[in-house]
Coordinates of all heavy atoms in Angstrom, one line a residue:
D229 N -15.7 -1.9 4.6 CA -15.3 -0.7 5.3 C -15.9 -0.6 6.6 O -15.4 0.2 7.5 CB -15.7 0.5 4.4 CG -15.0 0.5 3.0 OD1 -13.9 -0.1 2.9 OD2 -15.6 1.0 2.1
A230 N -17.0 -1.2 6.9 CA -17.7 -1.1 8.2 C -16.8 -1.9 9.2 O -16.2 -2.9 8.9 CB -19.1 -1.7 8.1
P231 N -16.8 -1.4 10.5 CA -16.0 -2.1 11.5 C -16.4 -3.6 11.8 O -15.6 -4.4 12.1 CB -16.2 -1.2 12.8 CG -17.3 -0.3 12.5 CD -17.5 -0.3 11.0
I232 N -17.7 -3.9 11.7 CA -18.2 -5.3 11.8 C -18.2 -5.9 10.5 O -18.8 -5.4 9.5 CB -19.6 -5.3 12.5 CG1 -19.5 -4.7 13.9 CG2 -20.1 -6.7 12.5 CD1 -20.9 -4.5 14.5
K233 N -17.5 -7.0 10.4 CA -17.3 -7.7 9.1 C -18.5 -8.7 8.9 O -18.5 -9.7 9.6 CB -16.0 -8.4 9.0 CG -14.8 -7.5 9.1 CD -14.8 -6.3 8.1 CE -13.7 -5.4 8.3 NZ -13.9 -4.1 7.7
R234 N -19.4 -8.4 8.0 CA -20.5 -9.3 7.7 C -20.1 -10.3 6.6 O -19.3 -10.0 5.8 CB -21.7 -8.5 7.2 CG -22.0 -7.3 8.2 CD -23.0 -7.8 9.2 NE -23.4 -6.6 10.0 CZ -23.7 -6.7 11.3 NH1 -23.7 -7.9 11.9 NH2 -24.1 -5.7 12.0
P235 N -20.8 -11.4 6.6 CA -20.6 -12.4 5.5 C -21.1 -11.8 4.2 O -22.0 -11.1 4.1 CB -21.3 -13.6 5.9 CG -22.2 -13.3 7.1 CD -21.7 -12.0 7.6
G236 N -20.5 -12.3 3.1 CA -20.9 -11.9 1.7 C -19.7 -11.8 0.8 O -18.6 -12.0 1.2
Y237 N -20.0 -11.7 -0.5 CA -19.0 -11.6 -1.5 C -18.3 -10.2 -1.3 O -18.9 -9.2 -1.3 CB -19.6 -11.7 -2.9 CG -20.2 -13.0 -3.2 CD1 -21.5 -13.2 -3.1 CD2 -19.3 -14.1 -3.5 CE1 -22.1 -14.5 -3.3 CE2 -19.9 -15.3 -3.7 CZ -21.2 -15.5 -3.7 OH -21.8 -16.8 -3.9
T238 N -17.0 -10.2 -1.3 CA -16.2 -9.0 -1.0 C -15.7 -8.4 -2.3 O -15.4 -7.2 -2.3 CB -15.1 -9.2 0.0 OG1 -14.2 -10.2 -0.6 CG2 -15.6 -9.6 1.3
H239 N -15.5 -9.1 -3.4 CA -14.9 -8.6 -4.6 C -15.0 -9.5 -5.8 O -15.2 -10.7 -5.6 CB -13.4 -8.2 -4.4 CG -12.5 -9.3 -4.1 ND1 -12.4 -9.9 -2.9 CD2 -11.6 -10.0 -4.9 CE1 -11.5 -10.9 -2.9 NE2 -11.1 -10.9 -4.2
A240 N -14.8 -9.0 -6.9 CA -14.7 -9.7 -8.2 C -13.2 -9.7 -8.6 O -12.6 -8.6 -8.4 CB -15.6 -9.2 -9.3
A241 N -12.7 -10.8 -9.1 CA -11.3 -10.8 -9.5 C -11.2 -11.2 -11.0 O -11.9 -12.1 -11.4 CB -10.5 -11.8 -8.6
F242 N -10.3 -10.4 -11.7 CA -10.2 -10.6 -13.1 C -8.7 -10.9 -13.4 O -7.8 -10.4 -12.7 CB -10.6 -9.3 -13.8 CG -12.0 -8.9 -13.5 CD1 -12.2 -7.9 -12.5 CD2 -13.1 -9.4 -14.2 CE1 -13.5 -7.5 -12.2 CE2 -14.4 -9.0 -13.9 CZ -14.6 -8.0 -12.9
V243 N -8.5 -11.6 -14.5 CA -7.1 -11.9 -15.0 C -6.9 -11.0 -16.1 O -7.7 -10.8 -17.0 CB -7.0 -13.4 -15.4 CG1 -5.6 -13.6 -16.0 CG2 -7.2 -14.3 -14.2
I244 N -5.7 -10.3 -16.1 CA -5.3 -9.4 -17.2 C -4.0 -9.8 -17.7 O -3.3 -10.6 -17.2 CB -5.3 -7.9 -16.7 CG1 -4.3 -7.8 -15.5 CG2 -6.7 -7.5 -16.3 CD1 -4.0 -6.4 -15.1
D245 N -3.6 -9.2 -18.9 CA -2.4 -9.6 -19.6 C -1.2 -8.9 -18.9 O -0.2 -9.5 -18.6 CB -2.4 -9.1 -21.0 CG -3.4 -9.9 -21.8 OD1 -3.6 -11.1 -21.5 OD2 -4.0 -9.3 -22.8
R246 N -1.2 -7.6 -18.7 CA -0.1 -6.8 -18.3 C -0.5 -5.8 -17.2 O -1.2 -4.8 -17.5 CB 0.6 -6.1 -19.5 CG 1.3 -7.1 -20.4 CD 1.8 -6.4 -21.7 NE 0.8 -5.7 -22.4 CZ -0.1 -6.2 -23.2 NH1 -0.2 -7.5 -23.4 NH2 -1.0 -5.5 -23.9
M247 N 0.0 -6.0 -16.0 CA -0.4 -5.1 -14.9 C 0.2 -3.7 -15.2 O -0.5 -2.7 -14.9 CB 0.2 -5.6 -13.6 CG -0.1 -4.8 -12.4 SD -1.9 -4.7 -12.0 CE -2.2 -6.4 -11.6
D248 N 1.4 -3.5 -15.7 CA 1.9 -2.2 -15.9 C 1.1 -1.4 -16.9 O 0.9 -0.2 -16.7 CB 3.4 -2.3 -16.5 CG 4.3 -2.9 -15.5 OD1 4.0 -2.9 -14.3 OD2 5.4 -3.4 -15.9
D249 N 0.5 -2.0 -17.9 CA -0.4 -1.3 -18.8 C -1.7 -0.9 -18.1 O -2.2 0.2 -18.3 CB -0.8 -2.2 -20.0 CG 0.4 -2.5 -20.9 OD1 1.5 -1.8 -20.8 OD2 0.3 -3.3 -21.8
L250 N -2.2 -1.8 -17.2 CA -3.4 -1.4 -16.5 C -3.1 -0.2 -15.5 O -3.9 0.7 -15.5 CB -3.9 -2.6 -15.7 CG -5.1 -2.3 -14.7 CD1 -6.4 -1.9 -15.5 CD2 -5.4 -3.4 -13.8
I251 N -2.0 -0.3 -14.8 CA -1.7 0.8 -13.9 C -1.6 2.1 -14.6 O -2.1 3.1 -14.2 CB -0.4 0.4 -13.1 CG1 -0.6 -0.8 -12.2 CG2 0.0 1.6 -12.2 CD1 -1.7 -0.7 -11.2
A252 N -0.9 2.1 -15.8 CA -0.7 3.3 -16.5 C -2.1 3.9 -17.0 O -2.4 5.1 -17.0 CB 0.2 3.1 -17.7
W253 N -3.0 2.9 -17.5 CA -4.3 3.3 -17.9 C -5.1 3.9 -16.8 O -5.8 4.9 -16.9 CB -5.0 2.1 -18.6 CG -6.4 2.5 -19.1 CD1 -6.7 3.0 -20.3 CD2 -7.6 2.3 -18.4 NE1 -8.1 3.2 -20.4 CE2 -8.6 2.8 -19.2 CE3 -8.0 1.8 -17.1 CZ2 -10.0 2.8 -18.8 CZ3 -9.3 1.8 -16.7 CH2 -10.3 2.3 -17.6
L254 N -5.1 3.2 -15.6 CA -5.8 3.7 -14.4 C -5.4 5.1 -14.1 O -6.2 6.0 -13.7 CB -5.7 2.8 -13.2 CG -6.3 1.4 -13.4 CD1 -5.8 0.5 -12.3 CD2 -7.8 1.5 -13.4
D255 N -4.1 5.4 -14.1 CA -3.5 6.7 -13.8 C -4.1 7.7 -14.8 O -4.5 8.8 -14.4 CB -2.0 6.6 -13.8 CG -1.4 7.9 -13.4 OD1 -1.8 8.4 -12.3 OD2 -0.5 8.5 -14.1
R256 N -4.0 7.4 -16.1 CA -4.5 8.3 -17.1 C -6.0 8.6 -16.9 O -6.5 9.7 -17.1 CB -4.3 7.8 -18.5 CG -2.9 7.9 -19.0 CD -2.7 7.6 -20.5 NE -3.3 6.3 -20.9 CZ -2.7 5.1 -20.9 NH1 -1.5 5.0 -20.4 NH2 -3.4 4.1 -21.3
E257 N -6.8 7.6 -16.5 CA -8.2 7.7 -16.3 C -8.6 8.3 -15.0 O -9.8 8.6 -14.7 CB -8.9 6.4 -16.4 CG -8.9 5.8 -17.8 CD -9.7 6.6 -18.8 OE1 -10.9 6.9 -18.5 OE2 -9.2 6.9 -19.9
G258 N -7.6 8.5 -14.1 CA -7.9 9.1 -12.8 C -8.7 8.1 -11.8 O -9.4 8.5 -10.9
I259 N -8.4 6.8 -12.0 CA -9.0 5.8 -11.2 C -8.0 5.4 -10.2 O -6.9 4.9 -10.6 CB -9.5 4.6 -12.0 CG1 -10.6 5.1 -13.0 CG2 -10.0 3.5 -11.1 CD1 -11.0 4.0 -14.0
A260 N -8.2 5.5 -8.9 CA -7.3 5.3 -7.9 C -7.1 3.8 -7.7 O -8.0 3.0 -7.6 CB -7.7 5.9 -6.6
V261 N -5.8 3.4 -7.5 CA -5.5 2.0 -7.1 C -5.5 2.0 -5.6 O -4.8 2.8 -4.9 CB -4.1 1.6 -7.6 CG1 -3.7 0.3 -7.0 CG2 -4.0 1.6 -9.1
T262 N -6.4 1.2 -5.0 CA -6.5 1.2 -3.5 C -5.5 0.3 -2.8 O -5.3 0.4 -1.6 CB -8.0 0.8 -3.1 OG1 -8.3 -0.4 -3.7 CG2 -8.9 1.9 -3.6
E263 N -5.0 -0.7 -3.6 CA -3.9 -1.5 -3.0 C -3.2 -2.1 -4.2 O -3.7 -2.5 -5.2 CB -4.5 -2.6 -2.2 CG -3.5 -3.5 -1.5 CD -4.1 -4.6 -0.6 OE1 -5.3 -4.6 -0.4 OE2 -3.3 -5.4 -0.1
G264 N -1.8 -2.2 -4.0 CA -1.0 -2.8 -5.0 C -0.3 -1.8 -5.9 O -0.4 -0.6 -5.7
P265 N 0.3 -2.4 -6.9 CA 0.5 -3.8 -7.2 C 1.3 -4.5 -6.1 O 2.3 -4.0 -5.7 CB 1.1 -3.9 -8.5 CG 1.1 -2.5 -9.1 CD 0.9 -1.6 -8.0
I266 N 0.9 -5.7 -5.8 CA 1.6 -6.6 -4.8 C 1.7 -8.0 -5.5 O 1.0 -8.3 -6.4 CB 0.8 -6.6 -3.5 CG1 -0.6 -7.1 -3.7 CG2 0.8 -5.3 -2.8 CD1 -1.4 -7.4 -2.4
T267 N 2.5 -8.8 -4.9 CA 2.7 -10.2 -5.3 C 1.9 -11.1 -4.3 O 2.0 -10.9 -3.1 CB 4.2 -10.6 -5.3 OG1 4.9 -9.7 -6.2 CG2 4.3 -12.0 -5.8
M268 N 1.2 -12.0 -4.9 CA 0.5 -13.0 -4.1 C 0.8 -14.4 -4.6 O 1.4 -14.5 -5.7 CB -1.0 -12.7 -4.1 CG -1.4 -11.4 -3.5 SD -3.2 -11.1 -3.6 CE -3.6 -11.2 -1.8
G269 N 0.3 -15.4 -3.9 CA 0.6 -16.8 -4.3 C -0.3 -17.3 -5.5 O -1.0 -16.5 -6.1
H270 N -0.2 -18.6 -5.8 CA -0.9 -19.2 -6.8 C -0.7 -18.7 -8.2 O -1.6 -18.5 -9.0 CB -2.4 -19.3 -6.5 CG -2.8 -19.9 -5.2 ND1 -2.7 -21.3 -5.1 CD2 -3.1 -19.4 -4.1 CE1 -3.0 -21.6 -3.8 NE2 -3.3 -20.5 -3.2
G271 N 0.6 -18.3 -8.5 CA 1.0 -17.8 -9.8 C 0.6 -16.4 -10.1 O 0.9 -15.9 -11.2
R272 N 0.1 -15.7 -9.1 CA -0.2 -14.3 -9.4 C 1.1 -13.4 -9.2 O 1.6 -13.2 -8.2 CB -1.2 -13.8 -8.4 CG -2.6 -14.4 -8.6 CD -3.5 -13.9 -7.4 NE -4.8 -14.6 -7.5 CZ -5.1 -15.7 -6.9 NH1 -4.1 -16.4 -6.2 NH2 -6.3 -16.2 -6.9
R273 N 1.6 -13.0 -10.4 CA 2.8 -12.1 -10.3 C 2.5 -10.8 -9.7 O 3.3 -10.3 -9.0 CB 3.3 -12.0 -11.8 CG 4.0 -13.2 -12.3 CD 4.7 -13.0 -13.6 NE 5.2 -11.6 -13.7 CZ 5.6 -11.1 -14.8 NH1 5.6 -11.8 -15.9 NH2 6.1 -9.9 -14.9
K274 N 1.4 -10.2 -10.2 CA 1.1 -8.8 -9.7 C -0.4 -8.8 -9.5 O -1.2 -9.3 -10.3 CB 1.5 -7.8 -10.7 CG 3.0 -7.6 -10.9 CD 3.3 -6.6 -11.9 CE 4.8 -6.5 -12.3 NZ 5.1 -5.6 -13.4
V275 N -0.8 -8.1 -8.4 CA -2.2 -8.0 -8.1 C -2.5 -6.5 -7.7 O -1.7 -6.0 -6.9 CB -2.6 -8.9 -6.9 CG1 -4.1 -8.7 -6.5 CG2 -2.3 -10.4 -7.2

């Protein structure tokens, strides 16, 4: 979030079964999706 981008680990990535189920659960739990779902390469259908 800072304007100067420092080196370091930026995120942890997890593999899940069904994105639609996760999105519905996040909505019920009041947890905001900050980006996505989107499609990316390397076999990632939804991210």
Side-chain angles (χ1 to χ4, degrees):
D229 300 330
I232 297 173
K233 303 304 180 198
R234 308 272 184 212
Y237 294 101
T238 60
H239 64 281
F242 305 97
V243 176
I244 58 171
D245 294 328
R246 291 173 304 281
M247 182 65 65
D248 294 341
D249 291 350
L250 173 66
I251 298 297
W253 181 85
L254 292 169
D255 186 52
R256 286 192 306 275
E257 291 292 313
I259 299 172
V261 173
T262 56
E263 185 179 354
I266 57 175
T267 301
M268 296 182 110
H270 301 288
R272 293 175 185 90
R273 284 186 34 189
K274 296 178 185 175
V275 178

